[in-house]
Amino acid sequence: MACCVLQITGLIFGGVGMVGTLAATVMPQWRVSAYIDGNIVVFETIWEGLWMDCISQLGIRLQCKFYDSVLALPPTLEAFRALMCIAVILSIISFLMAIVGVKYTHRTKEDPQGISIFILAAGVSFLLTGILVMIPVSWTGGSIIQDFYDPKVPMPLKRELGAALYVGWVSTALLITAGAMYCSFWCWADTSSKSRYPSLSRHRFQTLMLFCLLCVHKSYFKI
């Protein structure tokens, strides 16, 4: 019962983290204009994201514009785009593998030898996705804080942490937690299977070695 709850909880965390990763990727609120002077009335708010920048006028009118040239973008922004796109794709794959793994595990829950490899693959993929999201989000947050306290940066160019960064950090925490849950479940299941079936690991190793020898044998005769 505890294992079932652990798997379902990991699936929920992974699903929410997947949605958060997609939201953080498309949201324009990565960098938000900072107002640190004495003006009470603010007429415009500037948002800067990975794909576009937006100007909100008094919270009524919103104008957004995609960046004109990809080649004219800073190298860091291009790298952050690539990392977040890879993270979105990997999070979807991880979530699908987790669903397959949970279903297969529930079908063979009475047999420790039937624990699906998809559980381990989903756990590792969730961990990798969390790291991929954490890199651009944390890098951008550190850059914003450094420029904010740098006296050489003009006041109009100072920015604050946007909502997309917080969404990214929460998604990172959920993805890493989901990955840790699935990896822990795999380790527990593997330990349980070894205690009940001591020859299980040796059998898996022998099967893997036999498969590798067959592949080498076929490649040799093809040459």
Side-chain angles (χ1 to χ4, degrees):
M1 183 63 183
C3 296
C4 180
V5 174
L6 183 66
Q7 293 179 44
I8 299 301
T9 304
L11 190 63
I12 294 174
F13 283 1
V16 177
M18 175 188 65
V19 175
T21 301
L22 178 61
T25 304
V26 300
M27 287 175 63
Q29 296 96 335
W30 281 61
R31 297 171 178 265
V32 180
S33 55
Y35 300 99
I36 54 180
D37 51 8
N39 295 333
I40 299 178
V41 180
V42 178
F43 293 97
E44 291 184 349
T45 302
I46 301 175
W47 299 341
E48 297 175 2
L50 296 178
W51 312 96
M52 67 182 75
D53 53 4
C54 300
I55 298 178
S56 176
Q57 298 176 348
L58 295 177
I60 300 175
R61 184 179 180 183
L62 180 65
Q63 294 180 340
C64 295
K65 180 182 179 182
F66 287 94
Y67 298 127
D68 296 328
S69 176
V70 177
L71 299 178
L73 296 176
T76 54
L77 183 58
E78 294 180 1
F80 293 164
R81 279 183 171 187
L83 289 176
M84 292 302 295
C85 290
I86 295 173
V88 170
I89 297 174
L90 190 58
S91 64
I92 296 175
I93 296 175
S94 304
F95 186 70
L96 295 177
M97 287 192 298
I99 294 176
V100 175
V102 170
K103 287 186 177 180
Y104 183 80
T105 303
H106 286 176
R107 289 181 181 178
T108 59
K109 60 184 178 179
E110 296 179 356
D111 182 12
Q113 303 182 51
I115 300 300
S116 175
I117 191 64
F118 284 100
I119 291 293
L120 178 61
V124 175
S125 299
F126 276 134
L127 290 174
L128 182 59
T129 305
I131 294 174
L132 290 177
V133 176
M134 181 175 59
I135 292 174
V137 171
S138 299
W139 190 297
T140 302
S143 176
I144 292 174
I145 295 175
Q146 183 179 2
D147 292 341
F148 187 85
Y149 291 104
D150 189 357
K152 297 180 181 179
V153 178
M155 292 294 180
L157 298 180
K158 293 182 181 294
R159 296 291 182 263
E160 292 183 354
L161 303 176
L165 299 183
Y166 295 104
V167 173
W169 279 318
V170 173
S171 301
T172 298
L174 292 174
L175 290 169
I176 292 178
T177 302
M181 286 182 176
Y182 282 120
C183 290
S184 300
F185 175 75
W186 169 263
C187 294
W188 173 85
D190 189 55
T191 303
S192 177
S193 64
K194 286 180 180 178
S195 61
R196 297 184 183 182
Y197 301 91
S199 62
L200 175 60
S201 298
R202 183 177 59 186
H203 177 70
R204 289 179 177 177
F205 178 76
Q206 291 175 352
T207 304
L208 179 61
M209 291 299 297
L210 180 60
F211 177 75
C212 293
L213 289 175
L214 289 175
C215 292
V216 173
H217 183 71
K218 290 182 180 179
S219 300
Y220 176 77
F221 277 99
K222 284 183 180 179
I223 295 174

